[in-house]
Amino acid sequence: MAALGVKIWGCRGSISCSSPSIAKYGGNTTCYEILHNGNEKVIVDGGTGIFPLGLAWSQQKPVPRGNIHVFMSHVHWDHIQGLACCPMMHHPEADLTFYSHLDAIESIVQNIFKEPHFPVRWKDLLSKISFKIITPGETLQLGDLKVATLKQVHPSDSLGFKFIQKSQSLAIMTDHELELMDSKTTEATATFLNDVNLVLHDGMFTTEEQIEKKGWGHSAMDKVVSFCEGALGTESGQIIITHHAPYRSDKDLDDHEVRCQKIAKRNHNILMAQENKTYFCK
Ligand SMILES: [Zn+2]
């Protein structure tokens, strides 16, 4: 059986960017692909990273069979910006399902395909698209893959996802402000993370920035290290910090990676998420 993993197609927060100074960690906004045993494609978020993902999918001949499941953490711009141009949205062979905690998810996605913002209208899209509303805390089953959900601390709420395949599990927790959790959420988040082998967690800010931008819905890197280290039950787990601020250069992120590894108290592997890189549960 293949290991459970995640390919990063975009790990930037707020806005996509491009510059030689960010070539290593990449400039596309949030989009993650879950690599698992089944044929169905599983994606988290539709930031600009979903464009290269969709392009790679559409260039395979024939395009892979199986449904495409898109789990939306929430619908702030940086998590939906890639949908309009994503080749999957325009492909007659694509059968997509969007999952969200928002009752209005269908109209939110439909409104992307509307003049004066976009020339292709919703009714003219060639793909088949459906929607499923998730109640936070609900667990879904996609073949052999189980998907658990968690309500996170973020303006208008966001969802964290945990993907479980046999004894392996990985969590994608983008846009979660650990610093503003109440005791109930702290306990729920720690329990959610306890059995995971790999967690990708929002760490957009430095500690100083987080104090300045309190309430924006993002965590400080140091807090991610201390909280996730305490929550992970697995000694060899990987903690990958993501949703990088758009002004953070490769050099900055390299330095933060070394610094975060130094403040770690246990044996976890602490990394900064890199676009186009694949990480597997060990
Ligand atoms: Zn957000």
Side-chain angles (χ1 to χ4, degrees), residues 216-265:
W216 287 29
H218 302 289
S219 304
M221 296 173 230
D222 294 28
K223 178 75 178 174
V224 175
V225 174
S226 62
F227 184 83
C228 291
E229 276 218 301
L232 287 191
T234 46
E235 263 312 318
S236 58
Q238 299 173 79
I239 300 167
I240 304 173
I241 296 174
T242 192
H243 206 276
H244 306 312
Y247 46 80
R248 197 97 60 219
S249 69
D250 288 343
K251 164 88 175 64
D252 293 340
L253 288 167
D254 281 342
D255 292 347
H256 283 299
E257 188 174 82
V258 171
R259 199 182 50 73
C260 286
Q261 285 166 352
K262 276 189 190 145
I263 60 169
K265 296 204 166 39

Short mmCIF file of all heavy atoms in Angstrom, two decimals, residues 216-265:
data_model
loop_
_atom_site.label_atom_id
_atom_site.label_comp_id
_atom_site.label_asym_id
_atom_site.label_seq_id
_atom_site.Cartn_x
_atom_site.Cartn_y
_atom_site.Cartn_z
N TRP A 216 -6.57 38.29 12.96
CA TRP A 216 -6.56 38.08 11.50
C TRP A 216 -6.73 36.60 11.14
O TRP A 216 -6.88 36.26 9.98
CB TRP A 216 -5.26 38.62 10.88
CG TRP A 216 -5.19 40.12 10.84
CD1 TRP A 216 -5.77 41.00 11.70
CD2 TRP A 216 -4.48 40.92 9.87
NE1 TRP A 216 -5.47 42.29 11.35
CE2 TRP A 216 -4.68 42.28 10.23
CE3 TRP A 216 -3.70 40.62 8.76
CZ2 TRP A 216 -4.14 43.33 9.49
CZ3 TRP A 216 -3.14 41.68 8.03
CH2 TRP A 216 -3.37 43.01 8.39
N GLY A 217 -6.60 35.74 12.15
CA GLY A 217 -6.87 34.32 11.90
C GLY A 217 -5.65 33.47 11.63
O GLY A 217 -5.77 32.35 11.11
N HIS A 218 -4.45 33.97 11.97
CA HIS A 218 -3.23 33.22 11.67
C HIS A 218 -2.34 33.09 12.91
O HIS A 218 -2.37 33.95 13.79
CB HIS A 218 -2.45 33.90 10.53
CG HIS A 218 -3.27 34.01 9.29
ND1 HIS A 218 -3.59 32.92 8.52
CD2 HIS A 218 -3.90 35.08 8.72
CE1 HIS A 218 -4.36 33.31 7.52
NE2 HIS A 218 -4.57 34.61 7.61
N SER A 219 -1.53 32.04 12.91
CA SER A 219 -0.69 31.73 14.07
C SER A 219 0.75 32.18 13.84
O SER A 219 1.19 32.35 12.70
CB SER A 219 -0.68 30.22 14.31
OG SER A 219 -1.99 29.74 14.47
N ALA A 220 1.47 32.31 14.96
CA ALA A 220 2.91 32.57 14.89
C ALA A 220 3.64 31.23 14.80
O ALA A 220 3.21 30.24 15.38
CB ALA A 220 3.36 33.32 16.14
N MET A 221 4.77 31.25 14.05
CA MET A 221 5.52 30.00 13.83
C MET A 221 5.91 29.32 15.14
O MET A 221 5.78 28.10 15.29
CB MET A 221 6.80 30.30 13.04
CG MET A 221 6.51 30.81 11.64
SD MET A 221 8.05 31.34 10.86
CE MET A 221 7.60 32.94 10.28
N ASP A 222 6.41 30.11 16.11
CA ASP A 222 6.87 29.53 17.38
C ASP A 222 5.73 28.84 18.13
O ASP A 222 5.91 27.81 18.76
CB ASP A 222 7.47 30.61 18.29
CG ASP A 222 8.75 31.19 17.71
OD1 ASP A 222 8.88 31.18 16.46
OD2 ASP A 222 9.62 31.63 18.46
N LYS A 223 4.55 29.45 18.04
CA LYS A 223 3.37 28.88 18.69
C LYS A 223 3.00 27.55 18.02
O LYS A 223 2.60 26.59 18.70
CB LYS A 223 2.20 29.87 18.61
CG LYS A 223 0.91 29.40 19.20
CD LYS A 223 0.93 29.44 20.71
CE LYS A 223 -0.41 29.00 21.29
NZ LYS A 223 -0.36 28.90 22.76
N VAL A 224 3.13 27.48 16.71
CA VAL A 224 2.83 26.24 15.97
C VAL A 224 3.76 25.13 16.47
O VAL A 224 3.32 24.00 16.74
CB VAL A 224 3.00 26.43 14.44
CG1 VAL A 224 2.81 25.11 13.69
CG2 VAL A 224 2.01 27.47 13.93
N VAL A 225 5.04 25.46 16.62
CA VAL A 225 6.02 24.45 17.07
C VAL A 225 5.64 23.97 18.47
O VAL A 225 5.51 22.76 18.70
CB VAL A 225 7.46 25.02 17.06
CG1 VAL A 225 8.43 24.01 17.68
CG2 VAL A 225 7.88 25.36 15.64
N SER A 226 5.41 24.90 19.40
CA SER A 226 5.14 24.46 20.78
C SER A 226 3.81 23.73 20.89
O SER A 226 3.72 22.69 21.53
CB SER A 226 5.22 25.65 21.76
OG SER A 226 4.23 26.59 21.43
N PHE A 227 2.77 24.25 20.21
CA PHE A 227 1.46 23.60 20.33
C PHE A 227 1.45 22.22 19.67
O PHE A 227 1.01 21.23 20.26
CB PHE A 227 0.34 24.46 19.73
CG PHE A 227 -1.02 23.86 19.94
CD1 PHE A 227 -1.68 24.05 21.14
CD2 PHE A 227 -1.60 23.05 18.98
CE1 PHE A 227 -2.92 23.44 21.37
CE2 PHE A 227 -2.83 22.44 19.20
CZ PHE A 227 -3.49 22.65 20.40
N CYS A 228 1.95 22.15 18.44
CA CYS A 228 1.91 20.87 17.71
C CYS A 228 2.82 19.83 18.37
O CYS A 228 2.47 18.66 18.44
CB CYS A 228 2.29 21.06 16.24
SG CYS A 228 1.03 21.98 15.32
N GLU A 229 3.97 20.27 18.88
CA GLU A 229 4.85 19.32 19.58
C GLU A 229 4.15 18.72 20.80
O GLU A 229 4.29 17.54 21.09
CB GLU A 229 6.13 20.02 20.03
CG GLU A 229 7.15 20.09 18.92
CD GLU A 229 8.55 19.88 19.48
OE1 GLU A 229 8.96 20.66 20.34
OE2 GLU A 229 9.20 18.92 19.05
N GLY A 230 3.40 19.57 21.49
CA GLY A 230 2.67 19.09 22.66
C GLY A 230 1.52 18.16 22.29
O GLY A 230 1.21 17.22 23.00
N ALA A 231 0.89 18.45 21.12
CA ALA A 231 -0.31 17.70 20.73
C ALA A 231 0.01 16.37 20.06
O ALA A 231 -0.71 15.39 20.25
CB ALA A 231 -1.16 18.56 19.79
N LEU A 232 1.08 16.33 19.28
CA LEU A 232 1.39 15.11 18.53
C LEU A 232 1.79 13.99 19.48
O LEU A 232 2.70 14.16 20.29
CB LEU A 232 2.55 15.33 17.55
CG LEU A 232 2.31 16.16 16.30
CD1 LEU A 232 3.49 16.02 15.35
CD2 LEU A 232 1.04 15.77 15.58
N GLY A 233 1.12 12.86 19.35
CA GLY A 233 1.48 11.72 20.18
C GLY A 233 2.66 10.96 19.61
O GLY A 233 3.35 10.23 20.31
N THR A 234 2.91 11.16 18.31
CA THR A 234 3.97 10.41 17.63
C THR A 234 5.31 11.14 17.75
O THR A 234 5.41 12.30 17.38
CB THR A 234 3.62 10.25 16.14
OG1 THR A 234 3.18 11.51 15.65
CG2 THR A 234 2.52 9.23 15.93
N GLU A 235 6.33 10.44 18.25
CA GLU A 235 7.67 11.05 18.44
C GLU A 235 8.32 11.47 17.13
O GLU A 235 9.05 12.43 17.05
CB GLU A 235 8.59 10.08 19.17
CG GLU A 235 8.70 10.28 20.67
CD GLU A 235 8.95 11.70 21.15
OE1 GLU A 235 9.75 12.42 20.54
OE2 GLU A 235 8.32 12.10 22.15
N SER A 236 8.04 10.69 16.05
CA SER A 236 8.73 10.95 14.79
C SER A 236 7.91 11.81 13.84
O SER A 236 8.20 11.88 12.65
CB SER A 236 9.07 9.62 14.11
OG SER A 236 7.85 8.92 13.91
N GLY A 237 6.88 12.46 14.36
CA GLY A 237 5.99 13.22 13.49
C GLY A 237 6.66 14.40 12.78
O GLY A 237 7.70 14.89 13.22
N GLN A 238 6.03 14.82 11.69
CA GLN A 238 6.54 15.98 10.93
C GLN A 238 5.59 17.15 11.12
O GLN A 238 4.38 17.00 10.99
CB GLN A 238 6.62 15.65 9.45
CG GLN A 238 7.55 14.48 9.13
CD GLN A 238 7.44 14.10 7.67
OE1 GLN A 238 8.02 14.76 6.81
NE2 GLN A 238 6.71 13.06 7.36
N ILE A 239 6.15 18.31 11.41
CA ILE A 239 5.37 19.55 11.56
C ILE A 239 5.82 20.49 10.44
O ILE A 239 6.98 20.91 10.41
CB ILE A 239 5.61 20.18 12.94
CG1 ILE A 239 5.17 19.20 14.06
CG2 ILE A 239 4.87 21.52 13.07
CD1 ILE A 239 5.66 19.59 15.46
N ILE A 240 4.92 20.77 9.52
CA ILE A 240 5.28 21.59 8.36
C ILE A 240 4.50 22.90 8.43
O ILE A 240 3.27 22.90 8.45
CB ILE A 240 5.00 20.83 7.04
CG1 ILE A 240 5.75 19.50 7.07
CG2 ILE A 240 5.41 21.66 5.84
CD1 ILE A 240 5.44 18.58 5.93
N ILE A 241 5.24 23.99 8.50
CA ILE A 241 4.62 25.32 8.66
C ILE A 241 4.29 25.90 7.29
O ILE A 241 5.13 25.88 6.38
CB ILE A 241 5.55 26.24 9.48
CG1 ILE A 241 5.70 25.65 10.89
CG2 ILE A 241 5.04 27.67 9.51
CD1 ILE A 241 6.70 26.35 11.78
N THR A 242 3.04 26.39 7.15
CA THR A 242 2.58 26.82 5.83
C THR A 242 1.83 28.16 5.90
O THR A 242 1.80 28.80 6.93
CB THR A 242 1.70 25.71 5.20
OG1 THR A 242 1.48 26.02 3.83
CG2 THR A 242 0.36 25.54 5.92
N HIS A 243 1.25 28.58 4.75
CA HIS A 243 0.54 29.85 4.60
C HIS A 243 1.53 31.00 4.86
O HIS A 243 1.28 31.92 5.66
CB HIS A 243 -0.66 29.92 5.56
CG HIS A 243 -1.76 30.83 5.10
ND1 HIS A 243 -1.74 32.19 5.33
CD2 HIS A 243 -2.90 30.61 4.42
CE1 HIS A 243 -2.84 32.74 4.83
NE2 HIS A 243 -3.56 31.79 4.26
N HIS A 244 2.65 30.95 4.14
CA HIS A 244 3.71 31.94 4.33
C HIS A 244 3.26 33.35 3.92
O HIS A 244 2.58 33.51 2.90
CB HIS A 244 4.94 31.58 3.47
CG HIS A 244 5.43 30.18 3.69
ND1 HIS A 244 5.63 29.65 4.95
CD2 HIS A 244 5.76 29.19 2.81
CE1 HIS A 244 6.07 28.41 4.84
NE2 HIS A 244 6.14 28.10 3.56
N ALA A 245 3.67 34.34 4.71
CA ALA A 245 3.34 35.73 4.37
C ALA A 245 3.95 36.07 3.00
O ALA A 245 5.05 35.60 2.68
CB ALA A 245 3.91 36.66 5.45
N PRO A 246 3.25 36.86 2.19
CA PRO A 246 3.72 37.13 0.82
C PRO A 246 5.04 37.90 0.77
O PRO A 246 5.73 37.86 -0.24
CB PRO A 246 2.58 37.94 0.20
CG PRO A 246 1.73 38.41 1.33
CD PRO A 246 1.93 37.45 2.46
N TYR A 247 5.39 38.57 1.87
CA TYR A 247 6.64 39.34 1.90
C TYR A 247 7.80 38.53 2.46
O TYR A 247 8.90 39.04 2.59
CB TYR A 247 6.45 40.61 2.75
CG TYR A 247 5.75 40.37 4.06
CD1 TYR A 247 6.43 39.87 5.17
CD2 TYR A 247 4.37 40.61 4.19
CE1 TYR A 247 5.77 39.62 6.36
CE2 TYR A 247 3.71 40.36 5.39
CZ TYR A 247 4.42 39.86 6.47
OH TYR A 247 3.77 39.59 7.65
N ARG A 248 7.60 37.27 2.77
CA ARG A 248 8.65 36.44 3.39
C ARG A 248 9.52 35.81 2.28
O ARG A 248 9.01 35.04 1.47
CB ARG A 248 7.99 35.36 4.23
CG ARG A 248 8.90 34.69 5.22
CD ARG A 248 8.83 35.23 6.63
NE ARG A 248 7.55 35.15 7.28
CZ ARG A 248 7.06 36.10 8.06
NH1 ARG A 248 7.74 37.22 8.29
NH2 ARG A 248 5.88 35.97 8.64
N SER A 249 10.82 36.13 2.26
CA SER A 249 11.70 35.63 1.20
C SER A 249 12.17 34.21 1.51
O SER A 249 12.02 33.71 2.63
CB SER A 249 12.92 36.55 1.07
OG SER A 249 13.74 36.40 2.22
N ASP A 250 12.80 33.58 0.51
CA ASP A 250 13.39 32.24 0.72
C ASP A 250 14.40 32.28 1.86
O ASP A 250 14.43 31.38 2.70
CB ASP A 250 14.11 31.78 -0.56
CG ASP A 250 13.13 31.40 -1.66
OD1 ASP A 250 11.94 31.20 -1.35
OD2 ASP A 250 13.56 31.31 -2.83
N LYS A 251 15.21 33.34 1.88
CA LYS A 251 16.24 33.48 2.92
C LYS A 251 15.57 33.55 4.30
O LYS A 251 15.99 32.87 5.24
CB LYS A 251 17.05 34.75 2.62
CG LYS A 251 17.91 35.28 3.75
CD LYS A 251 19.29 34.63 3.75
CE LYS A 251 20.25 35.18 4.76
NZ LYS A 251 19.88 35.00 6.15
N ASP A 252 14.50 34.37 4.42
CA ASP A 252 13.76 34.47 5.69
C ASP A 252 13.25 33.10 6.12
O ASP A 252 13.37 32.71 7.28
CB ASP A 252 12.52 35.39 5.55
CG ASP A 252 12.88 36.83 5.30
OD1 ASP A 252 14.01 37.23 5.59
OD2 ASP A 252 12.00 37.58 4.80
N LEU A 253 12.63 32.40 5.16
CA LEU A 253 12.02 31.11 5.50
C LEU A 253 13.08 30.07 5.86
O LEU A 253 12.88 29.27 6.79
CB LEU A 253 11.11 30.61 4.35
CG LEU A 253 9.80 31.41 4.23
CD1 LEU A 253 9.10 31.12 2.91
CD2 LEU A 253 8.84 31.10 5.38
N ASP A 254 14.20 30.08 5.15
CA ASP A 254 15.32 29.18 5.52
C ASP A 254 15.76 29.46 6.96
O ASP A 254 15.96 28.54 7.76
CB ASP A 254 16.53 29.41 4.59
CG ASP A 254 16.35 28.72 3.25
OD1 ASP A 254 15.50 27.82 3.14
OD2 ASP A 254 17.09 29.08 2.30
N ASP A 255 15.90 30.75 7.30
CA ASP A 255 16.33 31.13 8.66
C ASP A 255 15.31 30.69 9.71
O ASP A 255 15.67 30.19 10.78
CB ASP A 255 16.55 32.66 8.76
CG ASP A 255 17.75 33.12 7.94
OD1 ASP A 255 18.53 32.25 7.51
OD2 ASP A 255 17.88 34.34 7.73
N HIS A 256 14.02 30.91 9.39
CA HIS A 256 12.97 30.50 10.34
C HIS A 256 12.95 28.99 10.52
O HIS A 256 12.67 28.49 11.62
CB HIS A 256 11.59 31.01 9.89
CG HIS A 256 11.38 32.47 10.17
ND1 HIS A 256 11.41 32.99 11.44
CD2 HIS A 256 11.15 33.51 9.33
CE1 HIS A 256 11.20 34.30 11.39
NE2 HIS A 256 11.04 34.64 10.12
N GLU A 257 13.23 28.26 9.45
CA GLU A 257 13.23 26.79 9.55
C GLU A 257 14.31 26.33 10.55
O GLU A 257 14.05 25.51 11.43
CB GLU A 257 13.46 26.15 8.18
CG GLU A 257 13.28 24.65 8.18
CD GLU A 257 13.37 24.06 6.78
OE1 GLU A 257 14.51 23.83 6.30
OE2 GLU A 257 12.32 23.82 6.17
N VAL A 258 15.50 26.89 10.41
CA VAL A 258 16.61 26.54 11.32
C VAL A 258 16.24 26.93 12.76
O VAL A 258 16.42 26.16 13.71
CB VAL A 258 17.91 27.25 10.86
CG1 VAL A 258 19.01 27.08 11.90
CG2 VAL A 258 18.36 26.72 9.51
N ARG A 259 15.68 28.13 12.91
CA ARG A 259 15.31 28.64 14.23
C ARG A 259 14.24 27.75 14.87
O ARG A 259 14.33 27.39 16.05
CB ARG A 259 14.80 30.08 14.08
CG ARG A 259 14.80 30.90 15.35
CD ARG A 259 14.23 32.29 15.08
NE ARG A 259 12.95 32.25 14.37
CZ ARG A 259 11.80 31.88 14.92
NH1 ARG A 259 11.76 31.54 16.18
NH2 ARG A 259 10.70 31.85 14.20
N CYS A 260 13.22 27.38 14.08
CA CYS A 260 12.12 26.55 14.62
C CYS A 260 12.64 25.16 15.00
O CYS A 260 12.18 24.58 15.98
CB CYS A 260 10.99 26.43 13.60
SG CYS A 260 10.03 27.95 13.46
N GLN A 261 13.59 24.63 14.23
CA GLN A 261 14.16 23.32 14.58
C GLN A 261 14.91 23.42 15.91
O GLN A 261 14.90 22.48 16.70
CB GLN A 261 15.09 22.82 13.47
CG GLN A 261 14.29 22.33 12.26
CD GLN A 261 15.12 22.12 11.01
OE1 GLN A 261 16.29 22.48 10.95
NE2 GLN A 261 14.49 21.56 9.99
N LYS A 262 15.53 24.58 16.15
CA LYS A 262 16.29 24.77 17.40
C LYS A 262 15.38 24.87 18.62
O LYS A 262 15.73 24.42 19.70
CB LYS A 262 17.15 26.04 17.31
CG LYS A 262 18.47 25.78 16.61
CD LYS A 262 19.38 26.98 16.72
CE LYS A 262 20.58 26.79 15.80
NZ LYS A 262 21.03 28.04 15.21
N ILE A 263 14.20 25.50 18.46
CA ILE A 263 13.32 25.66 19.63
C ILE A 263 12.49 24.40 19.90
O ILE A 263 11.87 24.29 20.95
CB ILE A 263 12.39 26.90 19.52
CG1 ILE A 263 11.47 26.80 18.30
CG2 ILE A 263 13.19 28.19 19.52
CD1 ILE A 263 10.36 27.85 18.31
N ALA A 264 12.51 23.45 18.96
CA ALA A 264 11.75 22.21 19.16
C ALA A 264 12.33 21.44 20.34
O ALA A 264 13.55 21.37 20.51
CB ALA A 264 11.80 21.36 17.89
N LYS A 265 11.44 20.89 21.15
CA LYS A 265 11.90 20.19 22.36
C LYS A 265 11.90 18.67 22.17
O LYS A 265 12.53 17.95 22.93
CB LYS A 265 11.00 20.56 23.54
CG LYS A 265 11.08 22.04 23.89
CD LYS A 265 10.71 22.30 25.32
CE LYS A 265 11.08 23.68 25.81
NZ LYS A 265 10.90 24.77 24.87
#
